[in-house]
Amino acid sequence: MATQPLPTLQTPRRPRFLMRWYYWLLLVIAAGYGLAFAMHWDDRGVLWLRERLETPAERQQSVWLPDYRAVIDAKLLPGMEKDEASDLSYDPQTKTLFSVMGKNPFLVELTLQGEVLRKMPLVGWTNPEGVTTMGNGLIAITDEREHMLSIIKVDASTRELRREDFPKYDLGPSKDQNKAFEAIVWDPRNQQLLLGEERPPALFSWKSDGSQTLKGDKQKLASNELDIRNLSALAIDPRTGHTLVLSADSHLLLELDEKGEQVSFMTLLGGFNGLKKTIPRAEGVTMDEAGTLYMVSEPNLFYRFEKQK
């Protein structure tokens, strides 16, 4: 008698659109990483952990950015819709702010509430990106496109400024010629200008006696603590001497101590630190002697932050 073959069991095939569970897991992980990268959580996560280790005494001796809240949020600078606010600096003698506009070069003086006092055309500049007051009417301006630093003189009667009338200094080449020296701030404690390259972020110092004369050449500083995607602007806290580093791409303001080590940070995303919306392109930051923070964002937005007691 012939033996009948055993029937073959047919295993039902899963529909093609049903992927194995680990494929879904990989997709979730990839999506999560993409979101974290886009929102720059990788920049802030490490900083947040470091902040938790700061003692109350250390917080008192620092700026401590987490305690700041916006009291003027995205105020429009009138008449500057087609310009690009590129930096901001506080003048302790006039109690006003100075900002440079990069698209149509001019210097503007503002009140501490963001009201425009006067505009001064910058004749001869092509792309002014950084500005800092040095006292006695002296203001240093960087031209990112031409890799040039100028130290100008401004008084109450100034209505226009011509670059050919003032000393100029060559900043030299940058690793990325199109992302060069965008930031500058006067450091009165150390009698030097602090310069910042946009990308890759880097810091330099240039000695001065506070006049229109610079000494020697610029010196590169250690930049290991710059966990940011780009460097947009610099500020010095006149009370502690700590450096504030602004990054538009990371939506981040970072505090460094006198050794260049990270102390605290403030996120510039909507819903944090009193901001209703994310600061779109933060390009300038400065601080006054009372510890009040001021920022400008392209094209023409003004912000003021105060520390909550």
Side-chain angles (χ1 to χ4, degrees):
M1 181 177 177
T3 303
Q4 297 294 325
L6 295 174
T8 302
L9 294 177
Q10 298 292 327
T11 303
R13 297 182 64 185
R14 295 182 180 181
R16 292 182 179 180
F17 63 86
L18 289 179
M19 303 174 67
R20 293 182 182 275
W21 66 269
Y22 46 85
Y23 288 156
W24 286 110
L25 179 60
L26 287 175
L27 280 176
V28 170
I29 293 174
Y33 177 80
L35 178 63
F37 183 85
M39 298 299 290
H40 309 289
W41 292 341
D42 53 335
D43 292 327
R44 285 179 282 274
V46 174
L47 297 182
W48 184 85
L49 291 174
R50 290 187 179 185
E51 280 186 349
R52 303 310 96 187
L53 301 176
E54 297 287 340
T55 66
E58 289 172 329
R59 296 184 184 190
Q60 288 292 328
Q61 295 170 1
S62 69
V63 178
W64 202 248
L65 294 169
D67 289 345
Y68 278 79
R69 296 294 180 272
V71 294
I72 297 179
D73 188 357
K75 179 178 181 177
L76 291 173
L77 295 173
M80 301 182 196
E81 296 80 4
K82 297 182 179 180
D83 301 302
E84 293 179 353
S86 295
D87 201 1
L88 190 67
S89 184
Y90 170 73
D91 190 328
Q93 294 176 326
T94 62
K95 308 296 183 184
T96 59
L97 302 166
F98 287 89
S99 180
V100 285
M101 302 290 156
K103 192 172 183 180
N104 300 299
F106 65 87
L107 180 70
V108 60
E109 186 174 9
L110 305 167
T111 69
L112 302 185
Q113 303 299 321
E115 300 296 329
V116 177
L117 296 173
R118 57 174 168 164
K119 299 178 183 178
M120 295 159 276
L122 294 172
V123 181
W125 282 267
T126 60
N127 187 31
E129 287 288 341
V131 63
T132 186
T133 60
M134 300 174 63
N136 300 316
L138 295 180
I139 297 178
I141 297 175
T142 59
D143 192 314
E144 184 179 27
R145 189 172 301 159
E146 296 192 5
H147 300 254
M148 194 72 67
L149 184 157
S150 304
I151 301 179
I152 65 174
K153 179 82 172 179
V154 175
D155 58 32
S157 64
T158 303
R159 292 295 175 265
E160 181 181 272
L161 295 151
R162 306 183 69 85
R163 197 174 73 170
E164 62 186 24
D165 296 335
F166 304 101
K168 299 182 292 293
Y169 297 89
D170 187 358
L171 292 172
S174 298
K175 189 171 183 179
D176 187 337
Q177 291 291 87
N178 296 319
K179 301 292 182 181
F181 291 93
E182 180 154 334
I184 188 170
V185 67
W186 171 242
D187 180 359
R189 291 191 181 194
N190 297 304
Q191 289 289 287
Q192 64 184 9
L193 286 167
L194 195 61
L195 296 153
E197 277 189 308
E198 181 181 3
R199 190 178 291 116
L203 294 174
F204 296 80
S205 64
W206 203 332
K207 290 294 183 180
S208 171
D209 58 2
S211 69
Q212 290 177 295
T213 302
L214 299 181
K215 300 177 180 180
D217 200 356
K218 69 181 190 299
Q219 303 296 319
K220 189 168 186 179
L221 304 177
S223 304
N224 299 331
E225 296 289 301
L226 296 180
D227 294 331
I228 49 178
R229 304 201 190 287
N230 81 315
L231 195 160
S232 301
L234 296 167
I236 297 287
D237 175 15
R239 304 162 304 165
T240 64
H242 287 190
T243 302
L244 302 179
V245 183
L246 182 65
S247 174
D249 289 354
S250 293
H251 297 291
L252 188 73
L253 182 64
L254 177 65
E255 177 188 0
L256 304 179
D257 64 16
E258 63 277 1
K259 297 179 181 178
E261 297 179 354
Q262 298 172 357
V263 179
S264 71
F265 77 97
M266 180 171 73
T267 182
L268 306 180
L269 298 175
F272 294 90
N273 297 90
L275 292 169
K276 293 180 180 178
K277 296 181 179 180
T278 297
I279 298 180
R281 185 73 192 173
E283 290 289 336
V285 64
T286 192
M287 177 175 275
D288 64 21
E289 62 273 355
T292 302
L293 270 171
Y294 308 87
M295 285 189 200
V296 287
S297 173
E298 289 183 356
N300 64 329
L301 298 178
F302 176 82
Y303 299 82
R304 173 174 167 148
F305 296 84
E306 295 179 0
K307 192 170 185 177
Q308 305 302 299
K309 303 299 183 180

